[in-house]
Amino acid sequence: HAKNLLYAFQQGFGVSVSAGEKTMRLAMSAGPTKFVNRIAKKRRERYNRISEHLISPAAEPRRPTDKRGDDMNIVCLDMEGVLVPEIWIAFAEASGIPELRRTTRDEPDYDKLMTWRLGILKEHGLGLKEIQATIAKIDPLPGAKAFLDELRATTQVIILSDTFEEFAKPLMEKLGWPTIFCNSLEVAENGEITGYKMRCEKSKLTTVKALQSIGYDTIASGDSFNDLGMIQASKAGFLFKSTEQIKKDYPQIPAYEEFDDLLAAIKAAL
């Protein structure tokens, strides 16, 4: 029985054999019951000291309001007008239809704008094939790929665009295949664009809020009316190559014209 008590004492307190024997002899002089009670008391004290250390403020789980590291940021960028020229303006020039120059810089209601565009295409007998032929000739804006490469090497980046998969693929190849969230077209067998499917309502703002709901901080940049929601909802947001009217209407949003300036602003916000 005494050997078992000695073993328990050694295991509970990590003492040497000689120290354990000496302590046990002193304690046993008071009787085995008191000795066992003393061991139990020491164990409780030791447990309490360890518990206090484990739940100290320094070891508490991070609260949502804690400052996050760089790995918790995602930069959300518009595509057309920011990284590549406006597709519809390029197609307007190629097709000789000036009405198609109208973009989200001019019309805030995207559904209204797309319905109007599809009506013009149908009127002129134009479809997906003709638009894709124009897109194949479009290159990224000067400096766009270098900007995107450096930004992607610094933090996570997603392109949020109201364009369509059928338009975006060749442009993503020229930009080094960044991640893009966009929409899709409904195309008839003869190539006529009969409609379109939006990924979700207010897709840019909805996506930014979804990213925030899973713990990310967003930094956003765009040039048009349909970018304002994600810019204003992010921890930092910037206009880039926007119109004078939008910059005038939203003077509180920093506006830049050069990729170097935008890159510096984003890095400062990380």
Side-chain angles (χ1 to χ4, degrees):
H1 177 69
K3 287 182 178 180
N4 289 337
L5 290 174
L6 175 59
Y7 177 77
F9 186 82
Q10 291 167 337
Q11 293 299 309
F13 300 103
V15 297
S16 66
V17 174
S18 59
E21 289 175 345
K22 182 178 179 180
T23 304
M24 187 185 74
R25 291 192 191 100
L26 292 172
M28 286 293 286
S29 64
T33 301
K34 289 184 177 181
F35 178 55
V36 171
N37 290 338
R38 182 171 295 181
I39 289 177
K41 180 180 178 182
K42 291 292 184 182
R43 281 178 179 270
R44 286 194 299 271
E45 291 174 351
R46 184 169 182 263
Y47 173 80
N48 289 337
R49 287 195 301 270
I50 294 172
S51 298
E52 288 172 2
H53 172 73
L54 290 176
I55 63 173
S56 65
E60 287 182 354
R62 183 171 59 196
R63 295 184 174 87
T65 55
D66 290 345
K67 185 177 180 180
R68 303 184 177 108
D70 290 352
D71 59 337
M72 299 299 288
N73 290 302
I74 291 186
V75 176
C76 301
L77 299 174
D78 181 29
M79 183 183 78
E80 293 181 65
V82 173
L83 299 172
V84 303
E86 293 280 353
I87 292 172
W88 288 97
I89 291 178
F91 185 62
E93 295 173 353
S95 63
I97 305 174
E99 293 90 341
L100 289 175
R101 293 182 61 87
R102 191 169 179 80
T103 70
T104 51
R105 292 184 174 195
D106 312 299
E107 176 54 68
D109 188 329
Y110 191 74
D111 286 333
K112 180 178 179 181
L113 177 62
M114 274 305 300
T115 300
W116 180 75
R117 285 169 170 170
L118 296 184
I120 293 177
L121 292 178
K122 185 176 182 65
E123 179 184 340
H124 290 82
L126 300 171
L128 179 59
K129 180 180 178 181
E130 289 77 14
I131 298 175
Q132 288 179 329
T134 296
I135 294 172
K137 300 174 184 178
I138 295 176
D139 290 322
L141 293 172
K145 188 176 185 303
F147 159 79
L148 193 56
D149 287 345
E150 184 169 349
L151 187 58
R152 291 171 70 192
T154 303
T155 189
Q156 300 180 84
V157 180
I158 298 176
I159 297 175
L160 301 183
S161 176
D162 281 339
T163 192
F164 306 96
E165 295 175 355
E166 296 81 358
F167 291 177
K169 186 175 180 179
L171 298 171
M172 293 303 97
E173 181 177 6
K174 292 179 180 180
L175 287 169
W177 296 110
T179 299
I180 182 170
F181 292 176
C182 58
N183 307 302
S184 60
L185 293 170
E186 296 174 344
V187 184
E189 291 184 3
N190 64 357
E192 178 186 352
I193 301 174
T194 58
Y196 57 95
K197 294 180 179 179
M198 300 297 287
R199 186 166 47 81
C200 56
E201 186 178 355
K202 297 181 179 178
S203 59
K204 298 183 183 186
L205 176 59
T206 301
T207 301
V208 160
K209 287 186 174 180
L211 291 169
Q212 293 168 352
S213 74
I214 58 172
Y216 285 98
D217 284 326
T218 58
I219 300 170
S221 182
D223 69 321
S224 299
F225 285 108
N226 62 338
D227 300 312
L228 292 172
M230 71 170 180
I231 289 174
Q232 293 174 314
S234 295
K235 77 168 185 179
F238 312 102
L239 292 170
F240 187 67
K241 296 184 181 296
S242 189
T243 65
E244 292 302 319
Q245 187 60 52
I246 293 177
K247 288 187 284 187
K248 180 180 178 181
D249 291 343
Y250 297 88
Q252 72 276 20
I253 303 177
Y256 301 102
E257 297 295 321
E258 302 296 332
F259 283 114
D260 287 345
D261 295 333
L262 178 59
L263 182 62
I266 291 173
K267 285 184 175 181
L270 290 173

